[in-house]
């Protein structure tokens, strides 16, 4: 066991004495008082841009597993990379979580939940490592490390600060003091005892036990520029003292698993159980090959895309939930559950291979969800979206809520035959645009039977019930020697500009007599 640094030197290295001992931290953040089997999970994004759909996918799994087990789901902001931080990114993350119904419980006992505000905790833990010789101050400059990398590459060695390349690994206290006297500020590195010739076995809840070479790199624990921790060290401290039981993260973090296992074992702490989820992929239109959703290429990679385009947030959750739990759709179709939140998700059934993000399948989930909404709720959702994200045209469409209610209520009164042609709130308004004179586009290609239209117009009465209305269509058809459907089609195209619409009588009832008469007269001209 190597000797560590004295208390006075540790205080000088860290720019101040540590605020806590490890025992004080254990008392400050006690084990959570939860029932047996309760999971404590966290979504821990970095505020470096927009909310990615893959992040939402992981957060959904976090939230679901905690909720169904009677546990706790936290939102932790990993804002220690100050160079990459983007203004308002945290606000975007929080708003996205709220929009999609992912409720988190940031109990103040275990906070703060911004890593930049937990510096005292990290310095207290690293002080213990410095005192025991498991960490050391490193005064390598950026130029020093670049030269080391160049030498390693030319010699065919793996790059990094380890073993003989870790210049400051065994500095004496006198040498450390000499560097400090020059005004140099060190980073704090792990004194790694790992041997890459040996293997470390780590457990993933889905993949099982996986063997990796041991980590021998003296990774940075505390950065020299701002005194904040690196991701790996913050991960160690936060998940221990926040009492995280399960870490759900993307499979790109699998290579970090042996390092994180090494850190937890070094501290004598129980590591959380890891679940590494598959990436969210798509088929590339140019190559035809499967690839990860790209922030730069794919608008659907951005969660805001779904909100602004008017996708029901519930349908996105349903779709992502079905990716995470392959048995969910069958249970839903059998009527065993009403939503993903009612389904018992099993971690071992989370898919390990890349899941394809299929917009057509998402459309199906959206149609199913919108089809289940009562008319007042449908109207409220469309109005709310239009007023917040819609165009001036959309806002015009929702201005008369009574008229909009009539439009959206067509063919939604029969639970055995649910109308499923609405996908998004924007598409819903586009779908029914012909109801507004300002948006109506006459069909210039259809050859109208003016005699049929004129004959119907002579007998048309907006007060007619459906049977009387149909009888008049039949009478017109008989008088002209044509089919009933031909008369109805002429009316349909004259009123909507389309050959395929919902129930024609309902359309005419909602439009009202004046609009119907004007549309028919316009078609005759």
């Amino acid at each position: 066991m190597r000797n560590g640094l004295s208390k006075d030197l540790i205080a000088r290295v860290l720019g101040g004495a540590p605020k806590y001992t490890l025992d004080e931290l254990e008392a400050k953040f006690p084990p959570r008082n939860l029932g047996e089997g309760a999971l404590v999970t966290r979504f821990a994004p970095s505020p470096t841009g927009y909310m990615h759909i893959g992040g939402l996918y992981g957060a959904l799994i976090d939230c679901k597993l905690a909720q169904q087990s009677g546990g706790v789901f936290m939102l932790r902001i990993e804002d220690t990379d100050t160079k990459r931080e983007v203004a308002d990114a945290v606000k975007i993350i929080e708003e996205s979580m709220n929009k999609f119904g992912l409720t988190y419980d940031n109990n103040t006992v275990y906070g703060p939940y911004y890593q930049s505000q937990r510096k005292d905790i990290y310095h207290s833990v690293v002080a213990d490592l410095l005192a025991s010789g498991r960490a050391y101050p490193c005064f390598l400059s950026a130029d020093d490390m670049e030269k080391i990398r160049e030498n390693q590459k030319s010699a065919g060695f793996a790059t990094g600060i380890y073993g003989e390349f870790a210049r400051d690994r065994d500095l004496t206290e006198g040498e450390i003091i000499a560097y400090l006297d020059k005004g140099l500020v060190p980073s704090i590195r792990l004194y790694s005892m790992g041997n890459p010739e040996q293997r470390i076995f780590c457990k993933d809840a889905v993949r099982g036990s996986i063997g990796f070479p041991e980590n021998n790199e003296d990774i940075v624990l505390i950065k020299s520029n701002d005194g904040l921790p690196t991701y790996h060290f913050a991960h160690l401290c936060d998940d221990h003292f926040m009492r995280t039981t399960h870490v759900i993260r993307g499979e790109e973090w699998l290579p970090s698993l042996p390092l994180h296992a090494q850190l937890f074992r070094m501290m004598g702490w129980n590591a959380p159980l890891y679940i590494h989820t598959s990436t969210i992929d798509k088929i590339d239109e140019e190559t035809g090959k499967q690839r990860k959703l790209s922030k730069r290429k794919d608008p659907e990679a951005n969660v805001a895309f779904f909100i602004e385009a008017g996708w029901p947030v519930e349908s996105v959750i349903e779709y992502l939930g079905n990716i995470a739990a392959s048995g969910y759709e069958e249970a839903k179709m059998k009527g065993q559950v009403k939503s993903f939140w009612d389904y018992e998700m099993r971690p071992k059934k989370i898919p390990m291979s890349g899941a394809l993000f299929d917009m057509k399948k998402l459309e199906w989930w959206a149609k199913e969800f919108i089809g289940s909404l009562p008319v007042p709720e449908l109207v409220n959702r469309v109005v709310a979206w239009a007023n917040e994200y819609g165009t001036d045209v959309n806002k015009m469409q929702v201005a008369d809520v009574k008229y909009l209610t009539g439009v959206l209520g067509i063919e939604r009164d029969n639970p055995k035959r649910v109308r499923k042609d609405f996908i998004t709130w924007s598409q819903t308004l586009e779908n029914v645009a012909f109801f507004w004179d300002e948006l109506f586009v006459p069909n210039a290609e259809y050859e109208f039977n003016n005699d049929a239209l004129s004959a119907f117009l002579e007998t048309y009465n907006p007060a007619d019930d459906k049977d009387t209305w149909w009888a008049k269509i039949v009478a017109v058809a008989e008088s002209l020697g044509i089919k009933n459907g031909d008369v109805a089609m002429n009316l349909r195209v004259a009123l909507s500009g389309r050959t395929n619409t919902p129930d024609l009588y309902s359309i005419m009832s909602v439009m009202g007599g004046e609009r119907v008469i004007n549309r028919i007269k316009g078609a005759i001209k």
Side-chain angles (χ1 to χ4, degrees):
M1 189 74 177
R2 65 190 295 267
N3 293 326
L5 306 186
S6 66
K7 287 185 178 181
D8 289 341
L9 187 52
I10 290 173
R12 191 172 174 194
V13 164
L14 294 178
K19 187 174 182 178
Y20 308 103
T21 65
L22 286 190
D23 286 341
E24 287 171 339
L25 285 173
E26 293 290 346
K28 181 177 175 63
F29 305 108
R32 292 177 183 265
N33 184 21
L34 299 171
E36 184 178 354
L39 274 59
V40 180
T41 64
R42 83 303 194 268
F43 176 49
S46 298
T48 54
Y50 66 70
M51 179 85 158
H52 193 280
I53 193 69
L56 183 67
Y57 175 66
L60 173 62
I61 297 174
D62 282 313
C63 186
K64 182 69 175 77
L65 292 178
Q67 181 212 61
Q68 72 181 28
S69 66
V72 175
F73 168 53
M74 303 172 285
L75 172 63
R76 186 170 77 217
I77 304 300
E78 301 196 337
D79 58 345
T80 58
D81 191 345
T82 53
K83 292 181 180 179
R84 296 178 59 224
E85 189 168 340
V86 174
D88 292 331
V90 174
K91 181 180 178 183
I92 291 170
I93 292 167
E94 292 174 339
E95 288 180 349
S96 298
M97 299 283 282
N98 292 332
K99 289 274 188 183
F100 285 89
L102 303 182
T103 304
Y104 49 91
D105 177 11
N106 282 8
N107 187 311
T108 54
V109 170
Y110 299 93
Y113 291 86
Y114 285 74
Q115 288 184 333
S116 60
Q117 299 172 14
R118 297 172 65 84
K119 191 172 181 178
D120 287 338
I121 298 169
Y122 308 128
H123 279 217
S124 299
V125 176
V126 88
D128 184 81
L129 295 177
L130 288 168
S132 62
R134 291 172 291 173
Y136 65 92
C138 175
F139 297 89
L140 287 170
S141 67
D143 288 341
D144 292 333
M145 289 186 285
E146 182 57 34
K147 289 177 183 176
I148 291 172
R149 277 192 290 269
E150 289 175 359
N151 291 336
Q152 288 170 329
K153 287 180 180 179
S154 63
F157 292 118
T159 59
I161 305 302
Y162 60 90
E164 62 186 279
F165 300 107
R167 186 196 71 185
D168 298 348
R169 184 173 164 91
D170 293 303
L171 293 177
T172 65
E173 288 209 355
E175 289 171 324
I176 294 170
I177 291 171
Y179 276 121
L180 292 173
D181 286 344
K182 293 178 183 179
L184 298 181
V185 179
S187 61
I188 309 301
R189 287 186 180 271
L190 168 71
Y191 194 98
S192 178
M193 300 299 290
N195 180 359
E197 299 298 320
Q198 298 179 8
R199 296 179 72 77
I200 181 173
F201 287 88
C202 312
K203 186 176 181 181
D204 178 285
V206 178
R207 292 169 169 80
S209 182
I210 310 172
F212 298 91
E214 288 184 349
N215 169 68
N216 70 330
E217 187 171 353
D218 291 356
I219 64 158
V220 173
L221 304 177
I222 300 292
K223 296 176 290 181
S224 61
N225 62 330
D226 55 14
L228 289 173
T230 57
Y231 167 81
H232 302 295
F233 189 57
H235 165 90
L236 166 78
C237 300
D238 292 343
D239 282 327
H240 176 69
F241 290 117
M242 289 182 176
R243 308 301 176 178
T244 306
T245 64
H246 289 68
V247 172
I248 296 95
R249 60 187 184 183
E251 63 184 1
E252 66 270 19
W253 287 105
L254 260 175
S256 299
L257 187 54
L259 170 59
H260 294 162
Q262 178 190 30
L263 292 174
F264 275 98
R265 293 176 189 181
M266 175 188 70
M267 294 300 301
W269 296 341
N270 292 326
L273 186 58
Y274 292 88
I275 300 173
H276 292 88
T277 61
S278 62
T279 58
I280 303 292
D281 297 347
K282 72 175 293 185
I283 299 297
D284 190 281
E285 295 180 0
E286 296 179 3
T287 65
K289 296 181 179 179
Q290 186 168 330
R291 63 167 174 79
K292 187 178 178 180
L293 274 177
S294 166
K295 289 183 177 182
R296 289 174 294 178
K297 295 181 180 180
D298 308 310
E300 65 268 31
N302 187 349
V303 166
F305 164 80
F306 299 96
I307 297 172
E308 293 168 7
W311 288 86
V313 294
E314 294 87 349
S315 67
V316 178
I317 291 296
E318 292 283 275
Y319 175 61
L320 293 176
N322 192 55
I323 293 177
S326 57
Y328 170 59
E329 183 178 342
E330 182 180 356
K332 168 111 175 175
M333 293 303 100
K334 289 181 178 179
Q336 296 171 349
V337 292
K338 290 184 178 180
S339 77
F340 177 65
W341 299 109
D342 302 324
Y343 183 73
E344 188 74 15
M345 182 181 178
R346 296 182 181 178
K348 289 186 177 181
K349 290 196 172 183
I350 297 173
M352 288 185 287
S353 58
L356 279 175
F357 196 87
D358 184 347
M359 292 297 287
K360 289 296 181 184
K361 188 63 176 179
L362 175 59
E363 288 182 6
W364 181 84
W365 282 102
K367 290 177 181 178
E368 288 290 317
F369 174 75
I370 295 178
S372 70
L373 292 178
V375 174
E377 176 65 11
L378 171 60
V379 172
N380 289 340
R381 298 290 288 271
V382 171
V383 171
W385 173 83
N387 286 332
E388 186 170 1
Y389 300 104
T391 62
D392 290 341
V393 169
N394 297 142
K395 291 180 173 65
M396 178 274 294
Q397 287 178 274
V398 303
D400 185 343
V401 175
K402 183 177 180 181
Y403 185 58
L404 179 67
T405 300
V407 170
L408 298 183
I410 293 174
E411 287 190 352
R412 293 184 67 87
D413 54 355
N414 184 357
K416 293 183 179 179
R417 188 185 176 189
V418 180
R419 180 179 175 184
K420 295 180 180 178
D421 56 342
F422 297 151
I423 302 171
T424 67
W425 312 132
S426 56
Q427 179 269 345
T428 297
L429 289 173
E430 182 181 338
N431 184 296
V432 298
F434 67 86
F435 279 91
W436 286 265
D437 292 336
E438 299 91 333
L439 306 179
F440 172 62
V441 179
N443 192 322
E445 298 179 357
Y446 188 81
E447 295 183 9
F448 288 103
N449 186 326
N450 289 344
D451 291 337
L453 292 176
S454 297
F456 177 81
L457 203 54
E458 290 176 4
T459 64
Y460 171 62
N461 184 344
D464 286 341
D465 60 26
K466 193 167 187 177
D467 289 339
T468 304
W469 167 82
W470 181 249
K472 289 181 178 180
I473 288 177
V474 172
V476 170
E478 289 179 351
S479 67
L480 296 176
I482 60 177
K483 295 179 180 179
N484 301 338
D486 291 337
V487 178
M489 182 58 73
N490 271 266
L491 291 171
R492 189 183 309 279
V493 178
L495 296 171
S496 69
R498 306 174 186 180
T499 57
N500 185 20
T501 69
D503 179 64
L504 181 58
Y505 176 77
S506 299
I507 289 175
M508 296 174 76
S509 298
V510 170
M511 283 186 171
E514 183 179 353
R515 185 177 277 110
V516 168
I517 292 170
N518 289 338
R519 295 269 177 102
I520 294 175
K521 286 182 177 179
I524 294 173
K525 290 179 181 179

